[in-house]
Amino acid sequence: QVQLVESGGGLVEAGGSLRVSCAASRTILGFNALGWYRQAPGKQRELVAQITSGGSMNYADSVKGRFTISRDYAKNTVPLQMNSLKPEDTAVYYCMGRRAGVTYWGQGTQVTVSS
């Protein structure tokens, strides 16, 4: 069983920065893909950023150039650095990990961007 725990959400003004992180209960070396999704009220959950075991990164068009996903193998974490935040970035952000054909989700962390 794998657990993913998000942290670092909060309230920030538009134009500001926030860093959220996802801590895995086991080494992240065995994950085929790790990423961040978000879900705003009344909307479907959408991909924000993803990184594969080979190091390929994929970003939603709406966050390209503003968000950066990375991996910390020593801490088994997946940080997401979010810069130039906009009110439309407001959502619950979920960590995702895919390992051996199974997709795991964290409980989510709220990010609110005020205008």
Side-chain angles (χ1 to χ4, degrees):
Q1 184 70 13
V2 175
Q3 291 184 335
L4 301 174
V5 180
E6 301 95 336
S7 62
L11 174 64
V12 64
E13 292 185 350
S17 297
L18 203 60
R19 183 180 176 93
V20 293
S21 190
C22 171
S25 60
R26 62 186 301 167
T27 177
I28 61 174
L29 281 172
F31 285 87
N32 303 110
L34 292 156
W36 286 91
Y37 285 68
R38 67 186 181 188
Q39 187 167 17
K43 295 187 177 181
Q44 289 187 333
R45 190 173 296 189
E46 63 175 1
L47 172 70
V48 175
Q50 178 174 286
I51 186 166
T52 68
S53 56
S56 297
M57 288 178 277
N58 183 36
Y59 293 92
D61 288 342
S62 60
V63 307
K64 283 180 180 177
R66 299 189 298 123
F67 290 12
T68 303
I69 189 171
S70 59
R71 294 171 296 189
D72 187 328
Y73 289 112
K75 297 179 180 179
N76 291 318
T77 59
V78 184
L80 179 69
Q81 178 67 39
M82 303 183 290
N83 299 326
S84 302
L85 282 161
K86 305 175 181 180
E88 51 264 43
D89 294 318
T90 295
V92 178
Y93 283 69
Y94 296 92
C95 179
M96 180 283 298
R98 191 173 302 118
R99 176 187 169 90
V102 179
T103 300
Y104 301 91
W105 295 94
Q107 82 288 351
T109 185
Q110 177 70 46
V111 172
T112 302
V113 184
S114 62
S115 57

